[in-house]
Amino acid sequence: MTTRRRSTALIGDDNTVVAGGRTATWRTLHKLPQLPSPAAVLVDNGADALAAVRHHAVHGTELLVATTSRVDLSMREELADSGFAIVIAKGDEHSVEPAKLKRVEESGRAWLLTSGSTGRPTRIGHTLESLTTVTTQQQPRTWLLPYSPGTYAWWQVVTMSLTQAYQGLVVIEPSELEIWPSIAAEHGVTAASGTPTFWRQTIYRDTEALAEVPLEQITLGGEPVDQTILDRLREIFPKARVSWIYASSEVGASIVVHDGQAGFPKAWLDREPGPEDERPVISVDGDELVITSPHHGAGLDGAVRTGDRVEFAGDRVLITGRLDTDEINVGGSKVSAGLVRNVLMAHPGVAWARVFARKAPLVGRMVAAEVVASPALGPITDQDLVQWCSNRLPDYGVPRRIKFLAEIPQKETLKSDV
């Protein structure tokens, strides 16, 4: 095992870290015992995950960190067969299942598991350097960290705190998601990153509590974003900067938009970077987003087909959803599920919506939807929503089946399969 210290990654060592009710700094976090390398460290809380990252930053080990719930027995076997020791971390205690394959470590390698939105999570290789996409000096902030440990979005917030001075963290555990605004207000959180589902759910639950958080920076990513949620956040936080980031484990953080408009400017397509510019090249092939990024994972050189579907709206490019699920063919007429969802989300009585195809006897497929009504408005009916959509969509794009859900569904990744 290597013991060299990678000091450049520890500029934020004295930043405050709040996790599990305890306030510490990166430097004073509890220490994990010397870990084997390569190791897959499975955790049940954010503090253990951060301790594993600091150990990795100090010792340069090969590390995969994830929550225990995201790694089933089959995946543990795969990791062990690939040379990873399985470490179950619980504070000062831990257990180790030795790797089944002995191999030389890839020093400094950090492995991520994809969100698994389109199937079983896959393993993507990075390093702390390739995960650290924010390299310019940042103004002092305290960041909310609600993401599941080990995901790309989680690493983005973690590396910002680890490599930049005055970037504190407040970790939110899954059991605290319903009350995170009160925790954030107590600890002076000024910046928060979450999926659009995360923000919709928070607004749905308690807008007044959210408005008490002194947010200066709001970031959305991980899912298609619509104008309604951007406008709603702007209403609640008129002075905050609202940013949308397109990022993935494969291509890294590739598109960053701060103008408060859904999508990104069409003029950004096919721009060639300068000789010292690390800007990704964004392209569209057919209706698929293609990205050539300096922040991609190991082994993904060149243009990467993202599997995300785009549509053009004036001078903007909108990402509407996954290619394999976004397009609904209704008797030969095609409609984007993402655009239908945006129409539903624009209704003042809708807090969340999911649109999908459902089998129909005559046309093969029809548009269906699941909806969560906003508590801020009086009761709405499926007839109300059908009429709303009929005024804004072609007839074949109007949902013919609408089911109301009691609450916004949210997975461990803070996404909701929209």
Side-chain angles (χ1 to χ4, degrees):
M1 176 185 298
T2 179
T3 57
R4 60 187 173 279
R5 177 187 171 94
R6 305 169 73 237
S7 58
T8 54
L10 297 171
I11 295 172
D13 223 11
D14 291 319
N15 287 334
T16 299
V17 176
V18 179
R22 177 173 178 261
T23 300
T25 66
W26 279 99
R27 191 191 305 275
T28 60
L29 273 172
H30 69 280
K31 304 294 188 296
L32 294 181
Q34 197 75 347
L35 295 174
S37 180
V41 179
L42 308 185
V43 300
D44 290 325
N45 62 73
D48 284 339
L50 295 180
V53 168
R54 188 173 187 281
H55 184 283
H56 168 77
V58 171
H59 298 290
T61 56
E62 182 176 347
L63 171 72
L64 181 149
V65 61
T67 57
T68 307
S69 57
R70 293 197 69 215
V71 180
D72 59 20
L73 289 177
S74 174
M75 187 172 293
R76 286 193 196 186
E77 289 292 321
E78 291 178 16
L79 289 167
D81 290 341
S82 299
F84 288 86
I86 307 299
V87 179
I88 309 297
K90 293 184 181 299
D92 294 331
E93 300 179 357
H94 75 294
S95 62
V96 178
E97 301 171 16
K100 295 180 179 178
L101 171 70
K102 289 189 177 180
R103 65 171 171 85
V104 177
E105 67 169 355
E106 293 184 55
S107 179
R109 175 68 72 208
W111 293 96
L112 281 66
L113 295 178
T114 61
S115 62
S117 300
T118 57
R120 188 174 175 78
T122 56
R123 186 158 43 91
I124 304 292
H126 279 273
T127 63
L128 277 183
E129 288 72 22
S130 68
L131 290 167
T132 305
T133 57
V134 177
T135 56
T136 56
Q137 187 172 352
Q138 301 293 301
Q139 61 178 293
R141 287 193 171 118
T142 299
W143 284 85
L144 191 81
L145 182 56
Y147 290 112
S148 178
T151 58
Y152 185 82
W154 180 86
W155 275 102
Q156 286 293 284
V157 181
V158 166
T159 54
M160 172 125 51
S161 178
L162 193 60
T163 62
Q164 295 260 353
Y166 310 114
Q167 306 295 315
L169 289 180
V170 175
V171 176
I172 298 297
E173 303 291 354
S175 62
E176 298 172 326
L177 281 172
E178 292 190 16
I179 59 168
W180 78 257
S182 63
I183 299 172
E186 176 187 353
H187 294 286
V189 165
T190 55
S193 174
T195 61
T197 293
F198 167 82
W199 289 109
R200 287 192 186 96
Q201 196 172 63
T202 302
I203 293 170
Y204 175 76
R205 282 174 174 154
D206 196 341
T207 305
E208 291 185 4
L210 175 61
E212 294 298 316
V213 185
L215 290 178
E216 302 167 354
Q217 171 67 50
I218 295 170
T219 304
L220 304 92
E223 294 176 315
V225 68
D226 57 87
Q227 194 61 49
T228 302
I229 186 63
L230 292 172
D231 291 344
R232 193 75 182 95
L233 288 168
R234 173 63 62 206
E235 291 171 7
I236 300 171
F237 298 100
K239 296 181 179 179
R241 185 174 75 161
V242 179
S243 305
W244 169 71
I245 297 179
Y246 178 92
S248 72
S249 305
E250 292 86 352
V251 299
S254 299
I255 306 173
V256 183
V257 182
H258 303 297
D259 65 4
Q261 301 299 307
F264 62 91
K266 189 187 294 184
W268 291 6
L269 290 176
D270 301 315
R271 290 187 303 176
E272 289 294 334
E276 298 183 0
D277 192 348
E278 290 195 339
R279 185 175 59 199
V281 177
I282 310 165
S283 305
V284 173
D285 184 1
D287 53 3
E288 182 177 9
L289 185 68
V290 178
I291 294 178
T292 305
S293 169
H295 308 301
H296 54 60
L300 291 172
D301 293 335
V304 175
R305 305 188 73 89
T306 65
D308 284 322
R309 185 171 184 271
V310 303
E311 290 202 4
F312 296 100
D315 63 351
R316 306 290 286 192
V317 183
L318 305 179
I319 298 172
T320 57
R322 301 295 293 174
L323 270 175
D324 56 353
T325 57
D326 186 65
E327 188 175 88
I328 302 176
N329 189 326
V330 183
S333 298
K334 298 175 182 176
V335 63
S336 162
L339 294 184
V340 176
R341 182 175 65 248
N342 289 348
V343 170
L344 283 169
M345 293 297 304
H347 189 288
V350 173
W352 174 89
R354 181 174 83 92
V355 174
F356 52 96
R358 181 172 174 173
K359 289 183 178 179
L362 296 180
V363 293
R365 293 285 187 276
M366 66 177 180
V367 179
E370 292 178 336
V371 167
V372 176
S374 171
L377 200 70
I380 56 173
T381 67
D382 52 353
Q383 290 84 3
D384 294 331
L385 297 179
V386 167
Q387 185 61 52
W388 173 269
C389 290
S390 297
N391 294 335
R392 294 163 176 80
L393 292 168
D395 185 63
Y396 56 83
V398 176
R400 301 304 175 187
R401 293 284 188 276
I402 297 177
K403 178 181 179 181
F404 285 89
L405 304 183
E407 59 182 20
I408 298 174
Q410 181 174 277
K411 301 192 299 184
E412 185 177 342
T413 55
L414 305 184
K415 302 180 182 180
S416 61
D417 284 338
V418 295

